[in-house]
Amino acid sequence: MSTGAVPGMLPAAPGDPAIRPPLAGRPSAVRSRVVTIEQDEVLTGEAVALDVQPVGLILRVAGAAIDIVATVIVYLLMLLGLFNLMAAGLLPENVLSILSIVLLVVLLVIVPATVETATRGRSLGKLAVGARVVRLDGGAISFRHAFIRALLGVLEVYITGGGLAILVGIFTSRSQRLGDLVAGTYAERTRTPRLVPQEVPLPQGLEAWAGIADVGRLPDRLARRVAQFTSRGSDMHPAARHRLAQDLAAEVAPHVSPLPPVDPETLLRAVVAVRRGRELHALTTRADRVARLAR
């Protein structure tokens, strides 16, 4: 008598639930995990979400102004050199207009594209404001990206006096201009403020809870918000701090087990202290292991 077992599988024991293959039209028991990517996050090729900081519109305008001034100065100096060559009889007059146009194209398109490609998205103005042009996935741009940006930059920056670039940048979340939208790029910050390490002590009476608490399921963005609250909450108005602590504690509660019987602000400080302690322990253990292997 056939047991109806699937080839390659052991038959189910008496009393065990039957193992059935998924039927057509029946939703599978294994569901794909949906990962939400926030506006300021970049998803890399390894499916890692990086929290990046795009450059604001004001800094982008300042960097572009520096690049424009440098370009105009170089163009005028080279044009002056051509006039001197023509005055000395070394350059025919009918060639001067052709060379001036060629020089303009080289300075407005070829040079910016080459510089951004060689410096991985930087230029004189971007170095001054601490910016770098990258792809939408956070990678370095190629000559194709830089060439598209430079070509459309002639229209956006020079022909329209920067008006078109500013107008498009106002209505994009990352202050992208038209060249960025076509090329698939944006400008990110390369200078971030140095973080000052701040110790958050574990509240008294929660030592036993800290040894068994499960706080690893806390989402990263929520964890950052809680950490910011614990470091800056003392500067807030007491009523606003209490209200914010209640809201954050309500978001944190589903991700913490077991919940200690404390007030919302104490809960937030305890969660931050436990997470930082465990992360520090993990980093220290990893560093010690690497040091032992390097001997």
Side-chain angles (χ1 to χ4, degrees), residues 113-257:
T114 304
V115 170
E116 286 191 353
T117 304
T119 60
R120 294 180 174 270
R122 293 179 175 89
S123 64
L124 183 62
K126 295 179 182 63
L127 286 174
V129 300
R132 181 178 67 139
V133 176
V134 295
R135 302 194 308 262
L136 291 179
D137 60 357
I141 63 174
S142 63
F143 183 79
R144 175 177 62 86
H145 301 96
F147 182 77
I148 293 175
R149 296 184 70 259
L151 194 61
L152 291 178
V154 176
L155 169 65
E156 294 181 88
V157 178
Y158 293 97
I159 296 180
T160 63
L164 180 59
I166 295 176
L167 182 63
V168 176
I170 291 175
F171 293 100
T172 54
S173 59
R174 296 179 177 176
S175 301
Q176 296 167 283
R177 60 181 179 87
L178 184 60
D180 291 316
L181 296 176
V182 176
T185 60
Y186 75 102
E188 69 172 6
R189 292 179 180 269
T190 58
R191 300 174 189 167
T192 55
R194 186 175 181 180
L195 297 179
V196 180
Q198 296 182 355
E199 296 293 336
V200 180
L202 183 68
Q204 295 182 357
L206 295 179
E207 291 78 8
W209 170 84
I212 61 174
D214 180 11
V215 295
R217 298 175 298 170
L218 198 65
D220 291 339
R221 295 184 69 86
L222 178 57
R224 286 195 293 269
R225 290 169 54 199
V226 174
Q228 290 176 354
F229 171 80
T230 57
S231 61
R232 305 174 185 174
S234 58
D235 299 332
M236 301 176 60
H237 189 273
R241 183 178 65 189
H242 179 69
R243 185 165 55 251
L244 182 57
Q246 286 183 328
D247 295 340
L248 290 175
E251 296 184 46
V252 168
H255 306 285
V256 177
S257 178

Side-chain angles (χ1 to χ4, degrees), residues 261-277:
V262 293
D263 60 274
E265 188 169 350
T266 303
L267 171 63
L268 299 178
R269 295 185 179 278
V271 169
V272 171
V274 171
R275 283 178 59 89
R276 288 188 176 179

